[in-house]
Amino acid sequence: MEIILQLFLLFLSIVLHECAHGWVALLRGDRTAKNEGRLTLNPLPHIDPFGTVVLPLLQVLLTGRVFFGYAKPVPINPSAMKNPRRDILWVGLAGPLMNFILGGVAGTLVHFHVNQHLVLPGALFHSLLIFCVINLWLGLVNLVPVPPLDGSRILAGLLPRRTLPHWMTFDKIGFFILLLLMGTGFFDKVIAPVLDALVQWVTGLR
């Protein structure tokens, strides 16, 4: 039952993450995601066979817990945006920002419960805590500037124009860099301590 809850909350979080990209793109003039039916909370259009199904199940089998996954990326057309260079940065930020907002709201409710300003049923408290951790983790991981993570898109919007062609070459090997970071324990050694501090700060739990 615990694993099913984690899978459900992870999937909900990554669907909202992808929708946030599409909503901001629409605000900046790009209707691609809307026209392809991706601005919806219906989970079916967002399912990526590997990132949404296989990867979370592998984590369950290997570790007994779920800590990462991704949905099918929302289609974006920068040339349709009002200011492509600036707007693609905001589109990239939208996903992690959505996760931080979701994690912050869930964590604040947990904080109120811990400090006895709000009494929550045990099951709801537990679900909110998991939802908080999942979203803060997704927000932090997606800020890492390695393709295909959102951090690479954000960095591309900040780099000088003359360096962009060189940066874009990393798109071809980004996935392998990501695997290398996972294999060397980067996320456990660098991101996990930041996550622990952030969860403690937001929820008031020690």
Side-chain angles (χ1 to χ4, degrees), residues 3-70:
I3 293 299
I4 294 174
L5 175 63
Q6 290 181 24
L7 287 170
F8 170 76
L9 295 176
L10 174 66
F11 190 44
L12 175 61
S13 301
I14 59 180
V15 165
L16 289 169
H17 174 108
E18 290 301 329
C19 283
H21 288 311
W23 290 329
V24 172
L26 180 63
L27 289 174
R28 303 315 303 162
D30 178 17
R31 298 180 59 85
T32 308
K34 180 177 177 59
N35 292 341
E36 295 192 14
R38 294 296 305 278
L39 299 188
T40 175
L41 296 181
N42 176 4
L44 296 180
H46 298 287
I47 292 177
D48 178 275
F50 182 77
T52 315
V53 180
V54 176
L55 183 59
L57 289 177
L58 281 175
Q59 293 169 50
V60 171
L61 293 173
L62 296 174
T63 69
R65 62 190 179 97
V66 182
F67 53 88
F68 189 67
Y70 57 88

Side-chain angles (χ1 to χ4, degrees), residues 42-176:
N42 176 4
L44 296 180
H46 298 287
I47 292 177
D48 178 275
F50 182 77
T52 315
V53 180
V54 176
L55 183 59
L57 289 177
L58 281 175
Q59 293 169 50
V60 171
L61 293 173
L62 296 174
T63 69
R65 62 190 179 97
V66 182
F67 53 88
F68 189 67
Y70 57 88
K72 187 187 301 180
V74 166
I76 301 295
N77 180 14
S79 63
M81 297 178 184
K82 301 171 185 176
N83 185 330
R85 181 165 166 76
R86 180 194 64 197
D87 294 343
I88 200 68
L89 185 152
W90 290 112
V91 170
L93 274 171
L97 184 59
M98 170 62 82
N99 292 128
F100 286 127
I101 291 172
L102 293 171
V105 170
T108 299
L109 292 174
V110 169
H111 193 286
F112 286 159
H113 176 85
V114 170
N115 290 280
Q116 300 181 337
H117 299 306
L118 177 68
V119 179
L120 299 171
L124 179 58
F125 169 80
H126 184 62
S127 299
L128 285 169
L129 181 57
I130 294 174
F131 194 60
C132 171
V133 172
I134 285 174
N135 275 282
L136 294 180
W137 174 258
L138 288 175
L140 289 170
V141 167
N142 274 285
L143 289 180
V144 176
V146 174
L149 300 178
D150 296 321
S152 64
R153 187 180 296 170
I154 296 166
L155 184 58
L158 296 172
L159 289 172
R161 289 182 184 276
R162 64 180 181 277
T163 64
L164 282 179
H166 302 291
W167 175 248
M168 293 305 177
T169 60
F170 281 103
D171 283 348
K172 299 176 182 178
I173 61 170
F175 185 72
F176 298 103

